[in-house]
Amino acid sequence: MKLRDLLDLTLLAALWGGSFLFMRYAVPDFGVVPLIWLRVALASICLLPLLLLKRQFGALRRQAGALTVMSLFNSGLPFLLIAWATLSITAGLASIMNAMTPVFTALIGALWLGDRLDGRRSLGLLLGLAGVALLAADKADFRPGGSGWAIVAMLLATACYGFAANHTRRYLQGVPALVNATGTQLVSALVLLPPALWSWPERMPGLGPWLAALVLGVACSALAYLLFFRLIARVGASRAVTVTFLVPVFGTLWGALFLGEPVTASMLAGGAVVLLGTGLATGVIGGRPGT
């Protein structure tokens, strides 16, 4: 990659890693559904003018059915699950577990689309699952107040992302990336509006949570999507996906710096195993990326 692409990749990882910090900070004040509605609504407000400027709204309308399904699994449902999980687990741990997304993408691709899983990729899947088991070993407490269900929610969120990636391959091949991004945020905003209004907090959140929600929508969603699309256009999808390795680094760093979250040996060890499995499953380690 050129220096500009590396800077884009690093900024993207910093933004997506920061999303876990902002969710963990703001969700106690807003509640899960109102915060995520704000995130996707603000992202829609930023992306929709760009879509109209590029005269791609017609493509969004033609793909409304497939985009509705993708909005559920690529934005609405995983965002809700992650926000709920951050009520019980740290931003750093959530960001590490989010690195399982490529592993689930490969697994669902094999089961649904018949993608071949060779020995290297199969080993990556097993290592990814082993890493999650290591991370959850001392945290999978399913009693009231425990974090066991939060870990399950994070795994379900990454499985949603994996399904969405394969759904895009199957039904949205060739659709402009900006159409996919805007459509998923816009549909999610429309679907979440009624429950967000119904569950809106009685006590208005303070300035800090509002700023966190603003950054979530504008920077961690709209701007991050634009950076990701630019990376795909300049260096290809297989290299752009390496952002997966940097997001946990920033997620853990921001959580430690701004929320005082502990970074434990089990987090480091489990995170390393998850990232190794992700690298093998995606072909970044031990093979040509994208194979």
Side-chain angles (χ1 to χ4, degrees):
M1 293 186 189
K2 296 180 180 179
L3 178 60
R4 174 185 172 182
D5 302 322
L6 289 173
L7 291 175
D8 279 357
L9 187 75
T10 304
L11 177 57
L12 176 60
L15 290 172
W16 275 346
S19 67
F20 299 94
L21 164 72
F22 294 119
M23 280 190 284
R24 180 164 172 76
Y25 175 75
V27 73
D29 292 270
F30 279 104
V32 171
V33 180
L35 177 63
I36 297 308
W37 176 78
L38 280 171
R39 178 178 184 175
V40 294
L42 288 168
S44 300
I45 291 171
C46 294
L47 292 171
L48 189 56
L50 295 176
L51 186 80
L52 296 173
L53 185 64
K54 291 183 175 291
R55 299 181 179 180
Q56 295 179 350
F57 189 80
L60 185 150
R61 188 172 58 249
R62 289 191 297 273
Q63 301 294 336
L67 285 172
T68 298
V69 175
M70 193 173 75
S71 72
L72 175 64
F73 290 96
N74 193 63
S75 296
L77 186 54
F79 284 1
L80 292 172
L81 288 167
I82 293 171
W84 182 79
T86 58
L87 289 169
S88 303
I89 62 176
T90 65
L93 179 57
S95 67
I96 291 172
M97 297 195 67
N98 190 68
M100 282 289 291
T101 295
V103 175
F104 277 109
T105 300
L107 179 60
I108 293 172
L111 295 174
W112 181 18
L113 302 180
D115 291 346
R116 188 175 66 89
L117 286 179
D118 57 18
R120 170 178 50 78
R121 298 185 73 193
S122 298
L123 176 61
L125 296 177
L126 292 175
L127 282 175
L129 294 173
V132 170
L134 183 59
L135 286 169
D138 60 343
K139 301 177 182 67
D141 184 357
F142 291 92
R143 293 173 295 183
S147 57
W149 290 115
I151 292 172
V152 172
M154 282 303 308
L155 288 175
L156 288 174
T158 58
C160 286
Y161 286 140
F163 175 85
N166 286 284
H167 177 270
T168 301
R169 283 180 54 199
R170 179 67 176 82
Y171 296 106
L172 293 166
Q173 193 75 25
V175 176
L178 184 58
V179 172
N180 288 333
T182 307
T184 56
Q185 301 303 294
L186 183 59
V187 172
S188 295
L190 294 174
V191 170
L192 291 177
L193 178 58
L197 293 176
W198 181 78
S199 59
W200 196 262
E202 295 181 3
R203 181 179 179 181
M204 186 63 66
L207 178 61
W210 274 105
L211 289 176
L214 181 65
V215 176
L216 262 177
V218 176
C220 299
S221 296
L223 176 58
Y225 271 122
L226 295 177
L227 286 171
F228 190 53
F229 300 152
R230 186 163 74 178
L231 274 172
I232 291 174
R234 290 175 60 87
V235 304
S238 61
R239 288 186 176 89
V241 79
T242 57
V243 70
T244 304
F245 293 90
L246 295 176
V247 169
V249 175
F250 282 100
T252 303
L253 177 64
W254 299 148
L257 286 178
F258 296 106
L259 297 178
E261 295 179 351
V263 181
T264 65
S266 63
M267 281 178 61
L268 295 176
V273 175
V274 167
L275 291 177
L276 176 59
T278 299
L280 290 170
T282 57
V284 174
I285 298 175
R288 180 172 59 85
T291 61

